[in-house]
């Protein structure tokens, strides 16, 4: 079951974190802390997930890798969204989109646009959600057409937007 798996994963990552050498690289530390945030989120421990997400954000910003900065912000934004803190989620995701746009990375832009769509749907803005999903599709097609399934991930959110029936061979930006 989900909770049992999350508890086991939490114990394993906590143990691994406790054994992490003090001189571990910042990248290794970032990966561990990000994993902790993801596992806590999966276990519905959003307060812990957000705390670890902020720790990962500091590590990512210190590294200066644009795609990691955007990715961590996006994951943290989703945790805030799940915690019903929509304004904070949107703000962090807007930061992620700005970083990804400056860097020009279409996959990171696809992921940030996807979250933008989910958050707009959460506000009841279906037109904004549709624009976000369409942008995600365009960016995703530019980055890796075979990964379309990754951008389209939340059936309950997409269904009102009519994106479920989209064929993988449809041209990006076409009518849906």
């Amino acid at each position: 079951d989900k909770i049992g798996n999350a508890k086991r994963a939490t114990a394993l990552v906590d143990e691994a974190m406790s054994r992490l050498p003090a001189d571990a690289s910042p990248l290794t530390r970032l990966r561990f802390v990000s994993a902790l945030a993801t596992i806590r989120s999966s276990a519905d421990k959003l307060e812990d997930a957000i705390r670890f997400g902020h720790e990962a954000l500091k590590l990512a910003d210190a590294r200066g890798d644009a795609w990691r900065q955007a990715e961590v912000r996006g994951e943290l934004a989703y945790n805030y969204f799940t915690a019903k803190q929509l304004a904070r989620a949107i703000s962090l995701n807007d930061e992620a989109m700005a970083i990804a746009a400056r860097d020009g990375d279409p996959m990171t832009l696809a992921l940030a646009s996807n979250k933008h769509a989910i958050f707009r749907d959460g506000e009841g803005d279906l037109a904004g959600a549709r624009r976000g999903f369409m942008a995600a599709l365009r960016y995703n097609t530019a980055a890796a057409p075979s990964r379309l399934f990754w951008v389209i991930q939340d059936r309950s959110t997409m269904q009102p937007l009519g994106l479920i029936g989209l064929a993988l061979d449809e041209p990006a930006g076409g009518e849906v």
Side-chain angles (χ1 to χ4, degrees):
D1 73 346
K2 178 182 172 183
I3 299 300
N5 289 337
K7 284 182 182 179
R8 285 189 293 280
T10 297
L12 289 171
V13 173
D14 284 347
E15 181 181 344
M17 194 72 179
S18 72
R19 294 175 186 222
L20 191 63
D23 63 347
S25 74
L27 178 57
T28 299
R29 224 168 258 298
L30 172 59
R31 287 176 176 157
F32 272 76
V33 172
S34 293
L36 283 169
T38 299
I39 291 167
R40 293 305 198 282
S41 178
S42 295
D44 295 325
K45 296 184 181 294
L46 293 175
E47 187 175 308
D48 288 344
I50 290 169
R51 182 171 47 84
F52 284 120
H54 279 285
E55 189 177 334
L57 186 62
K58 288 177 191 170
L59 292 165
D61 285 348
R63 283 191 52 79
D65 299 331
W67 74 270
R68 287 190 195 280
Q69 291 174 306
E71 179 181 65
V72 168
R73 278 173 173 76
E75 292 304 313
L76 182 56
Y78 201 82
N79 286 330
Y80 273 111
F81 174 75
T82 304
K84 309 281 189 253
Q85 296 182 40
L86 191 56
R88 186 69 179 126
I90 290 170
S91 175
L92 277 164
N93 197 63
D94 287 349
E95 289 176 27
M97 288 184 74
I99 290 167
R102 276 194 312 271
D103 192 49
D105 177 25
M107 182 51 71
T108 306
L109 280 164
L111 294 171
S113 296
N114 186 55
K115 285 182 178 75
H116 173 87
I118 291 169
F119 300 161
R120 292 298 178 234
D121 184 58
E123 289 182 314
D125 177 6
L126 291 183
R130 181 178 176 81
R131 284 190 304 275
F133 275 123
M134 293 309 298
L137 290 171
R138 284 190 304 276
Y139 290 128
N140 189 80
T141 300
S146 64
R147 295 173 82 181
L148 183 61
F149 68 91
W150 194 21
V151 173
I152 298 177
Q153 60 187 350
D154 188 339
R155 292 178 69 87
S156 65
T157 302
M158 290 182 302
Q159 198 162 12
L161 302 174
L163 295 177
I164 288 177
L166 185 69
L168 287 174
D169 60 354
E170 286 285 331
E175 284 298 310
V176 177

